[in-house]
Structures are given as structure tokens and as C-alpha cells.
Amino acid sequence: MRERVRDTDLVNLIVKRLEILTKEDEESSFLASPNHRGRHEFSQFRGEALSQFALWNHHSSVENKPAYFDSLRRAYLDNDVAGLDAQLKFVHQGTIANRDFSTSDILNQARLADLRYPAEWYPATRQVQRTIHLHVGPTNSGKTYHALQRLEQAKSGVYAGPLRLLAHEVYTRLNAKGKPCSLVTGDERQFPDGPEIPLLNSCTVEMMPINRDFDVAVIDEIQMIGNKERGWAWTSAFLGVKAKEVHLCGEERVIPLIRELTASMGERLEIHRYQRLSPLRAMTTSLRGDLRQLRKGDCVVSFSRVGIHALRREIENITGKRVAVVYGNLPPETRAEQARLFNDPNNDYDILVASDAIGMGLNLSIKRIIFETTRKWDGIHSTPLTIPQIKQIAGRAGRYRTAAQSQQNGTSEKDIASTAPSVGMVTSLESIDLPIITKGMKSEAEPIMTAGLFPPDSIIQHFATYFPPETHFSYILLRLHELSRIHPRFHLCILREQIGIADIIQPVEGLTIGDRNIFCVAPVALRDPGFPEIVKAFAQCVANQRGGALLEIPGLDLEILDSPFTKDRRYLRELEATHKSLVLYIWLSYRFAGVFTSRSMAFYVKRLLEEKIDTVLKEFSSHLNRQKLRSRREASILRDAKGEVVEEGNTDGKLEGANIGNSEQIAESQPLDLILGAELPTQAAAAA
């Protein structure tokens, strides 16, 4: 609803944010400066800004509107209060930096910020005569199956998917067929036994190896190329992978864009269209909240781990049936076992409760999809599901047999569909959600018109050479985004956590531009308690080139493993924050191996934390008031229908974020299942 914010409300929010930013710690924020005048300079900028806004308010004319106001509005629309803060810092730092820029400097910056032809970033790939195979169709149409068949036949190849779950699934599938395959995600590396380097690879799309030669590459969920945060990873993989055959799998709405991109590179495109292998229908009635109506083969989709565990316990208590659970943060072995239990028709695990990760193509024998809700926490707000999200999740119903079963019987998915057709059914748990689901399934999503871009490390490092050494890295990133020239078929992916990370590690001396850039794309959750201090401690280890043993890092709360269990919400958040710290440690250990030397121990402690978090979540789920959460969601849906500019958890009509100064206060005001939103990979964290 931010799109409808009035200028006067936004000005009030800007004034409040300026006041809050002025009070930040000068030694640990963007206010840090070599001459220790950071706070004075920002206070001066704040005074000038207040005068400009007061003049505009008094005269109410376009001529008096501050020149940077439109950029502040765009930043707020893109990334809420965090985006607004980042843009305010950029405007402030720009007023300082611009004093020292010569005409030559500005021209050189503009030249490096010319991002119109990203295909030229991969000159070695442009020397390869590639054939692009685009496999398009709805869910359960066999498009990915056929692409993977080609990968299995290849001597060398790579699969790149959007989630660790899918990378793990392909890795397991290929090795089970006797085809040695490695696994590479942001925080995990697995290699098959044997002295030879495997010629087949499975990875998350951010980890696509660009400079290796392959016979076949498969890039899954190619429609994600249009994502405003992660789209750059699909663009990089597609433009950069050195494979003779590149197989793209996704939705039909991506065809025009892929056709344009392929033509611009002078490559041959073959489009393979697929039809759904089994019918899919929306039911005319919901379950009306009655879990007793669940039957064998049902999958209830929830959008948080707390919600998943709450539903599991409630379903088992009410129906007496066994329930399997699947979500992204489950350890791979546990997730595979849960999927196996649900897929096996000869046991009593009749029902699955899962996150929206199933929408990305996990092989599960689901007969009916039931949406617990049609709203999802996006990291900032509770928002309605989009048409593509509804279609993708709903489309998982009706997969009567899995790829693993077809492999055992030596039959293809098409053969299975022709001999044992299964109608996939879709409905909702609550009646208020069913019209939204039905409409979404009947609607056509908008075509994807642009591909995401993010400047590669080489451009960022070269661009940074035109600035004095003391220039804030966050300003360099924002300046590059501001000056960037983009071809109409591309869009720049938004900077969300990167600016906050850059400001946190700014005071750390001894980091190179390359080091800072690596930290800015790391899986960092700045809203978690104590996480900014952990990030800064990790950065200090890199700057010192020592002190990275797990037990030596200050602020890493490993003692929480020995603390007694409590049902306090803060305890759960601290467990999760420590877990994320370990994920970051492992992620960094693959990039700074000589500094972070305790990877094996970190994996072990991470697993202990996952077990403890799982236990706590199960305990929390028994106390979760689903009726209260249902009332909140229904109120949100009704507000959406009326078009009111009111956000989740904000019922007084004020602009969301206008009084935000304490992230802890905000976290307490949100429902627990929203705080712990399940499968929402950010631009940086998605690589993990």
C-alpha cells in the first residue's frame, strides 16, 4: 500500500527518519568519518533539508520541491523505511563528495556505470556457439524433467536452481543413478567419493560456475529473471554460463524476453512447449476451518515455520492422522525422510504440511493443495500472494507419482499421466481466501519484460577507484546505481540489505573494496538481535587476517546451547540469530578460508541449533492462537479489497514506519509467525 502514500505523510516520515539517523552512534554507522565531523555534517544537512521541506510546504509549488524528493519516494516504495534511510544517507554523502568531483571524475564514473550491454561482461562465453532450449509450460508439465534427462545424458553439465532444496534433490538424483555429481550452495559443498573431479554439478543459481566449460546447463525457474531482488542471478547465469546447450525451464510469460536476449547475443533459440500432465481444478468450497475434512494426499501450505508446526500438531490432535512437514530450513536428510514418508502409500503419514518451497518443483505425491492463507510476510509487510505464486503453489496438486517412482519403474512422467491420470484439487482452509485463489488460478500473469542486473565485482572495484579512500562504500554503491545506464530490457535489482551492511562495516580499517563487496552480498539479517555486531566482528577478522576461529569471535553467543529451555519469544529469536550467525560464518569460510578456520565445528554447532530450534518451534506451536491470526488475516484481506492505505499491525491510519525507531519494538508488535517468515530468500541470502 506504500504506492498510495501522500507527499505530506512522506515528508513527515522523512523528518522523523532524519532525527533518528542523527542520533546514531558515530563510531559504528555511516556517521563515521576520518575528521570526526560526521555528526556535525549530517546535522547541517538535516537543517538544510528541514528548511527546504518547510519552504515547499509553505508555497506548495513544484518549483520549491526539493530536487531529491522523488528519489526518496522511489527508495521508500522499493524498500520501505530501510530504503528511505539509505537514500537519505546517499543524498547527504553526495553533498559532501560532489565538492571534490572534477568534470573528468564525473565523466569516468558515467562511463563505468554504462550497464547497457551485460552480455559483454562474459567475453569467453561469447566465443562459444550456444544453443538455447527454452522449456515452458505450467507446473507438473514435465518441462524440468525433460531438461534433466538431457543433463543426465551429457558428459559434463550443471544444474542451477532457486533453492537449496532443489539443488539437493538434483544432486541426490544424479548420484543415485550412478552419475557422480557435486553440490555447491552458498554455505555447503558436497563431493562424491572418488579421486576424480565430478563432471556434473548441482548448485543454487547464485553459485553458477561461469568460467567452466560444460556440454549442458539447466537453469530452473527462469521466470525469476524478472525478480526485483534476485533477478540478477538468473541473468548472470543465462548470459554467462559456458555451455554448448543451455536449457531454461519456466513459465510461458518469459518467452518474449528470452527471445530478445537470445537474439541480442546472436544465438539460436528452440522453444519447447508442454501441457499439464493432469487436470487441475479449484474446488467450489473451502474446508471452512474444519481440519477434520483433511484426507490422504492433502498438503496444507503455510508461510511460516511456526504456522507449519502449529498445523501439524493441531491436525494430529484433531484427526489422529500422522503428518509430515517440509520447509526450506529443514536439514536435507530430515527433509528427504519427511518427503519419503508422505510419498509412500503404504504408511500412515497421510497429510503434508509444507511451506511455499513446494511451489518450486519438489517431487511430492500431492493430490490436493489447501492454502492456510493467501497472505505472506515479505520481510517488511504482510502482502497478498501474487498470481504467479498462487498458480505455482496450486499447480503442485495432482502429481500422482514422483520422479523417483517413475525412475524405479522405468517409465516417464508422460507415461504415468496417460495410464494413471489424477485430477489435482485446490482449495483453502478458510472461506475468505477461496475467491482469491480461484481468481488467481483463472488469471494470466503479466509478461516478464525486463531481466535483473547487478554490477559485477570488477565494475564495482574499478568504479571505486574514482573516489577518495575514505569514501563510504555505501555511497559508492548508491552512486553507481544512480548513474547507471540500463537497456530497456533490463532493470537494476534493488539494494536492500547491502547498504546497511556497508555502513556497519565502514569503520573497520584494512578491508579492501573486494572484501566489502563480498560482505555486502552475504546472507545477513540485520534485524536480528546482535547481528550487526557479529557482522562487524567477522569483518574485523578479515581485516586482521586472523582471529577467525569459531570460539575466538566476540559476540557469538554459543552459550545459548547450554541455556535452559524457555517459552519466551526472545529466546527463540536469539536461537535463530545465533543460527544465522553460523550460516554466515560457514558462508564466509568458503570465501576467506584462511581466516575462518572452524568450518567443521560450525556445521556441528549449526545442526545442534537446528534441533533445538525445531524443539522450541513445536513447543510454541501448541500455544499459537490460530483463531487470532485468522482474524488478523481476514482484516488484512478486507482492507486490501477496500484499498485502504493501512498495513499489517497498523490500524490507526498512520503511515507505516512513521514512528519506527526501535526494531525490537516492531518485532514485538508482529505476530510470531510473521516474524519467522519461512521461505523468503533475499538477494544475498538466497545463495546460501
Side-chain angles (χ1 to χ4, degrees), residues 188-362:
E188 188 174 9
R189 307 286 191 275
Q190 297 277 354
F191 298 94
D193 296 332
E196 296 183 359
I197 297 175
L199 297 177
L200 296 179
N201 306 263
S202 182
C203 63
T204 44
V205 70
E206 285 86 353
M207 303 303 295
M208 171 69 90
I210 296 298
N211 295 317
R212 285 182 59 185
D213 293 308
F214 296 107
D215 292 326
V216 172
V218 176
I219 304 174
D220 210 355
E221 305 294 346
I222 188 61
Q223 71 277 358
M224 291 285 288
I225 199 170
N227 187 273
K228 67 178 182 179
E229 291 182 45
R230 292 183 68 197
W232 65 271
W234 274 262
T235 304
S236 175
F238 173 42
L239 300 183
V241 66
K242 289 177 63 181
K244 299 172 185 175
E245 294 180 24
V246 180
H247 293 258
L248 312 175
C249 307
E251 302 172 11
E252 286 208 26
R253 62 196 181 107
V254 81
I255 290 177
L257 177 60
I258 297 301
R259 185 178 278 131
E260 272 195 58
L261 292 174
T262 304
S264 72
M265 294 182 288
E267 296 176 335
R268 187 161 63 94
L269 173 65
E270 296 183 16
I271 300 176
H272 309 270
R273 290 181 168 87
Y274 301 84
Q275 299 300 316
R276 186 176 166 86
L277 298 175
S278 59
L280 182 67
R281 297 175 189 162
M283 296 177 62
T284 57
T285 60
S286 72
L287 301 193
R288 298 188 178 92
D290 185 3
L291 297 175
R292 292 171 296 181
Q293 295 188 43
L294 292 171
R295 54 181 185 255
K296 188 175 182 65
D298 281 350
C299 172
V300 185
V301 178
S302 181
F303 298 105
S304 75
R305 282 189 283 168
V306 168
I308 288 169
H309 284 288
L311 280 166
R312 177 195 59 79
R313 176 171 292 206
E314 192 170 354
I315 291 168
E316 289 183 339
N317 289 341
I318 290 175
T319 67
K321 301 179 188 297
R322 302 293 297 276
V323 178
V325 296
V326 169
Y327 54 86
N329 283 345
L330 276 178
E333 298 80 9
T334 305
R335 186 178 59 246
E337 176 65 11
Q338 291 288 302
R340 187 192 64 78
L341 290 171
F342 175 71
N343 286 336
D344 186 351
N346 300 317
N347 65 30
D348 55 353
Y349 279 83
D350 294 344
I351 296 166
L352 176 70
V353 178
S355 73
D356 53 332
I358 63 164
M360 291 291 185
L362 294 176

Side-chain angles (χ1 to χ4, degrees), residues 31-149:
L31 296 177
S33 64
N35 57 13
H36 301 288
R37 289 178 50 81
R39 189 180 306 283
H40 172 76
E41 289 172 338
F42 189 77
S43 295
Q44 190 175 27
F45 165 73
R46 173 174 171 262
E48 294 171 356
L50 293 179
S51 298
Q52 291 174 350
F53 284 124
L55 180 65
W56 182 31
N57 182 59
H58 180 70
H59 292 285
S60 300
S61 64
V62 176
E63 291 78 11
N64 291 306
K65 181 171 69 171
Y68 49 79
F69 180 78
D70 288 338
S71 69
L72 295 176
R73 171 180 278 279
R74 285 194 301 272
Y76 176 69
L77 294 181
D78 282 344
N79 201 14
D80 200 73
V81 173
L84 182 59
D85 285 355
Q87 191 63 24
L88 282 169
K89 297 172 187 178
F90 171 71
V91 174
H92 156 59
Q93 291 164 359
T95 59
I96 299 172
N98 286 340
R99 302 170 192 161
D100 303 319
F101 287 150
S102 66
T103 302
S104 176
D105 289 336
I106 295 173
L107 289 175
N108 285 325
Q109 291 172 21
R111 179 178 55 81
L112 282 173
D114 187 347
L115 309 180
R116 290 176 296 170
Y117 308 108
E120 296 176 359
W121 299 346
Y122 313 98
T125 305
R126 299 287 73 80
Q127 302 303 311
V128 179
Q129 190 61 42
R130 304 191 308 175
T131 299
I132 311 301
H133 295 266
L134 178 58
H135 303 261
V136 294
T139 51
N140 284 2
S141 60
K143 54 186 182 294
T144 305
Y145 172 84
H146 285 90
L148 289 176
Q149 286 287 96

Side-chain angles (χ1 to χ4, degrees), residues 529-634:
F531 216 87
E533 290 76 16
I534 289 293
V535 173
K536 190 174 180 181
F538 286 162
Q540 193 64 62
C541 292
V542 173
N544 297 339
Q545 288 294 296
R546 57 183 173 80
L550 192 64
L551 300 181
E552 295 179 6
I553 298 175
L556 194 57
D557 184 20
L558 300 182
E559 291 80 8
I560 197 169
L561 283 168
D562 300 321
S563 62
F565 169 81
T566 70
K567 296 179 182 178
D568 179 68
R569 181 180 297 180
R570 186 183 298 273
Y571 173 70
L572 179 57
R573 283 203 299 272
E574 289 172 353
L575 279 175
E576 292 216 315
T578 304
H579 179 267
K580 291 174 184 176
S581 298
L582 287 167
V583 170
L584 176 59
Y585 182 95
I586 294 168
W587 191 93
L588 290 169
S589 74
Y590 287 111
R591 287 130 181 106
F592 303 101
V595 177
F596 302 104
T597 56
S598 306
R599 186 188 305 150
S600 297
M601 180 188 292
F603 269 117
Y604 175 72
V605 177
K606 173 174 168 282
R607 184 61 184 268
L608 294 178
L609 278 165
E610 287 167 350
E611 293 172 357
K612 194 158 191 172
I613 288 169
D614 198 52
T615 301
V616 176
L617 285 170
K618 291 174 182 176
E619 199 61 37
F620 260 116
S621 69
S622 64
H623 300 282
L624 189 64
N625 188 334
R626 283 209 316 112
Q627 179 62 40
K628 185 176 180 180
L629 292 177
R630 179 172 60 190
S631 298
R632 282 176 176 264
R633 291 166 179 161
E634 288 180 355

